Amino acid sequence: MGCRTRSFLSTKQEIALGKEGARQIEAEYRVDTSSADAERVRRIGMKLLPHVDQRDVPYSFKVLESNEVNAVALPGGPLYVFRGLLDMTDSTDDDALACIIGHEMGHINGRHAARQISSQLLTGILIYMGVPGSTNQELARLASGLITLKYSREDELDADRRGLSYAHYAGYDPHGLIRFFSKLERMERRVGGEKNEWLRTHPLNRSEEHTSELQS
């Protein structure tokens, strides 16, 4: 296993980066803050929160009006679930959604995005806060790529383990995630086309392995 880059961003810097990323996302997508789905996402997120490792950041849980089957978390706490993903989950079964939100919280707690940003900074970019010469433009540039950030296999595995653990200890059934992936796979077999990003980065057999680990 390769050496993992250490994040040298402070919590304050991660929060600032996440706020700028959230500002950019919410300028591009319409945010649902008042529907039953929006309340459901907030409720599940808050129920998971006592079981996470990093609690010193201002978590937020919001729904984006986009048909994309996706969810994304930013450094410092902002977390978004896309409408397309909500439409794929059973509104009467919170287990899968809790595992998905938990996975994204796992990225925040694992500081996965922060380490990648640190890697960019180590190549010669100034730390964007608290260092003379760094600018708001640099902060905006760093934040602009957060929504399309690709995590390593190691980071995805780490987020899987964390997220399923959060869901389990919050009282949700980790098998809900397996049911969701099975549904997604059946749908994609019917419609064909390119494999969904969630299925590429979260293969069903790996989710089953993590669920078994929790029960052992």
Side-chain angles (χ1 to χ4, degrees), residues 16-17 25 30 35 61-62 87 96 119 134 140 151 184 197 203 211:
L17 182 60
I25 286 174
R30 187 167 75 85
S35 73
F61 308 94
K62 298 181 181 180
D87 289 345
S119 296
S134 60
Y151 293 111
L184 200 55
E197 178 69 18
T211 301

Side-chain angles (χ1 to χ4, degrees), residues 31-216:
V31 181
D32 172 9
T33 59
S34 58
S35 73
D37 282 336
E39 176 55 32
R40 180 187 179 208
V41 167
R42 281 195 297 270
R43 172 176 52 80
I44 291 173
M46 294 306 295
K47 189 173 179 181
L48 295 174
L49 198 52
H51 305 282
V52 304
D53 312 282
Q54 185 182 13
R55 304 183 194 179
D56 57 346
V57 296
Y59 287 90
S60 62
F61 308 94
K62 298 181 181 180
V63 174
L64 296 180
E65 293 292 359
S66 168
N67 291 328
E68 186 177 350
V69 181
N70 200 8
V72 64
L74 306 182
L79 190 152
Y80 298 93
V81 179
F82 289 70
R83 172 67 59 191
L85 190 148
L86 280 175
D87 289 345
M88 286 292 300
T89 62
D90 188 337
S91 61
T92 64
D93 180 0
D94 288 344
D95 297 318
L97 187 55
C99 293
I100 291 166
I101 293 174
H103 173 92
E104 296 302 329
M105 294 174 81
H107 281 308
I108 296 171
N109 280 270
R111 307 187 77 192
H112 300 152
R115 283 205 313 276
Q116 289 202 37
I117 294 297
S118 293
S119 296
Q120 294 180 42
L121 295 171
L122 283 169
T123 63
I125 300 172
L126 290 173
I127 299 178
Y128 55 83
M129 289 185 63
V131 178
S134 60
T135 65
N136 290 334
Q137 288 77 16
E138 180 62 20
L139 176 62
R141 188 195 71 78
L142 290 170
S144 65
L146 288 174
I147 196 169
T148 56
L149 196 65
K150 303 296 184 186
Y151 293 111
S152 69
R153 182 177 295 273
E154 183 181 5
D155 284 347
E156 293 290 4
L157 284 167
D158 185 45
D160 281 345
R161 294 189 186 99
R162 291 173 187 264
L164 288 173
S165 175
Y166 305 156
H168 171 72
Y169 286 108
Y172 294 104
D173 179 9
H175 286 94
L177 188 62
I178 297 172
R179 293 194 296 270
F180 170 74
F181 284 150
S182 296
K183 182 178 181 180
L184 200 55
E185 283 190 331
R186 289 195 301 271
M187 182 199 73
E188 294 207 335
R189 282 198 295 268
R190 288 198 304 270
V191 301
E194 186 178 354
K195 200 174 188 65
N196 176 270
E197 178 69 18
W198 268 86
L199 287 177
R200 286 199 301 270
T201 58
H202 306 86
L204 184 59
N205 60 343
R206 197 175 70 198
S207 298
E208 291 171 338
E209 289 173 5
H210 293 328
T211 301
S212 298
E213 289 172 6
L214 282 174
Q215 296 176 320
S216 62

